[in-house]
Amino acid sequence: SQQGEEDPQALSIQEGENATMNCSYKTSINNLQWYRQNSGRGLVHLILIRSNEREKHSGRLRVTLDTSKKSSSLLITASRAADTASYFCATVLGTASKLTFGTGTRLQVTL
Amino acid sequence: NAGVTQTPKFRVLKTGQSMTLLCAQDMNHEYMYWYRQDPGMGLRLIHYSVGEGTTAKGEVPDGYNVSRLKKQNFLLGLESAAPSQTSVYFCASRALGNEQFFGPGTRLTVL
């Protein structure tokens, strides 16, 4: 099955720095979504980018999509300790909008 | 508006026992999904439903059954639990905009 692969697997930065996470996938998609998971909790939707879009912003989040390279990146600017979490990309193909998740990036933001 | 709720939050089973996990959503969503998450991995789709009375297999359906008798509820059953089914189970429902809303998860241990 198609699956996103996030890079890096783990990232540790200081508060105020920017965090960049990358996602690669294998086949064509309808859209790509990013989710955040705090330890022991369910996933929270962050942002969706459609296959015909190249860049999207939401607050401190910036997502890019390069369908020719089958890759996406998530940039969190001016990170905060509260951004500490695991971040997953998920690709969507088909009318049932089934999500296929990557393995995630664990982000640690220290004071 | 509770969103997506899951019952129970924790459960320990012995090999061969059966149980049912309940997912409920109060957002009138048509689509509902069951995922499992294993350590260090992203979520994998078990089964999903595109509406009341319908179910379909996902990526890892073996050993599980589901039912969607009411639009707001999606049940996941384990007929004969195995240690390989030790995992955290997440239910989600989908809004029109493709975003999925996740429940808090059920942590299941099979001894």
Side-chain angles (χ1 to χ4, degrees):
Chain A
S1 64
Q2 67 179 30
Q3 183 176 31
E5 295 284 339
E6 279 96 335
D7 172 59
Q9 292 186 348
L11 180 62
S12 183
I13 60 175
Q14 290 190 321
E15 204 171 47
E17 294 181 334
N18 296 341
T20 300
M21 290 158 262
N22 302 296
C23 168
S24 60
Y25 57 92
K26 297 176 185 176
T27 68
S28 61
I29 59 173
N30 290 349
N31 64 73
L32 184 144
Q33 302 179 30
W34 285 90
Y35 286 81
R36 183 186 75 226
Q37 184 179 35
N38 290 90
S39 181
R41 301 285 188 89
L43 278 72
V44 175
H45 181 266
L46 294 176
I47 196 165
L48 179 154
I49 187 165
R50 301 190 188 285
S51 60
N52 61 353
E53 297 176 313
R54 291 296 167 259
E55 187 171 313
K56 205 161 182 181
H57 297 256
S58 177
R60 293 184 295 113
L61 305 180
R62 172 178 169 257
V63 169
T64 62
L65 180 64
D66 186 335
T67 53
S68 67
K69 295 182 179 178
K70 292 186 172 56
S71 67
S72 173
S73 67
L74 171 67
L75 168 67
I76 304 174
T77 59
S79 63
R80 306 166 182 168
D83 295 328
T84 294
S86 291
Y87 292 81
F88 294 90
C89 70
T91 54
V92 178
L93 181 65
T95 56
S97 289
K98 296 177 290 183
L99 294 175
T100 302
F101 284 87
T103 52
T105 293
R106 293 188 311 278
L107 174 65
Q108 177 77 42
V109 181
T110 57
L111 296 173
Chain B
N1 190 336
V4 179
T5 58
Q6 292 183 231
T7 308
K9 289 184 170 54
F10 304 93
R11 186 72 185 269
V12 178
L13 291 178
K14 294 181 180 178
T15 297
Q17 288 185 318
S18 63
M19 77 164 295
T20 300
L21 283 69
L22 170 64
C23 175
Q25 53 96 4
D26 60 3
M27 297 172 284
N28 202 35
H29 290 167
E30 292 289 342
Y31 292 65
M32 296 186 74
Y33 308 82
W34 274 107
Y35 297 89
R36 61 176 288 174
Q37 184 178 32
D38 299 299
M41 297 182 66
L43 280 68
R44 290 182 294 169
L45 182 64
I46 305 171
H47 285 281
Y48 64 100
S49 169
V50 301
E52 181 179 317
T54 75
T55 63
K57 293 180 180 180
E59 182 185 355
V60 288
D62 294 342
Y64 305 95
N65 56 75
V66 287
S67 64
R68 184 97 181 270
L69 299 179
K70 294 183 178 180
K71 187 177 183 179
Q72 63 267 33
N73 295 336
F74 195 27
L75 279 63
L76 178 70
L78 286 73
E79 290 186 349
S80 180
S84 61
Q85 294 178 304
T86 292
S87 189
V88 181
Y89 292 85
F90 289 98
C91 175
S93 67
R94 178 201 153 194
L96 286 176
N98 287 304
E99 169 187 355
Q100 291 192 15
F101 293 84
F102 284 80
T106 294
R107 189 173 296 274
L108 174 66
T109 301
V110 182
L111 302 175

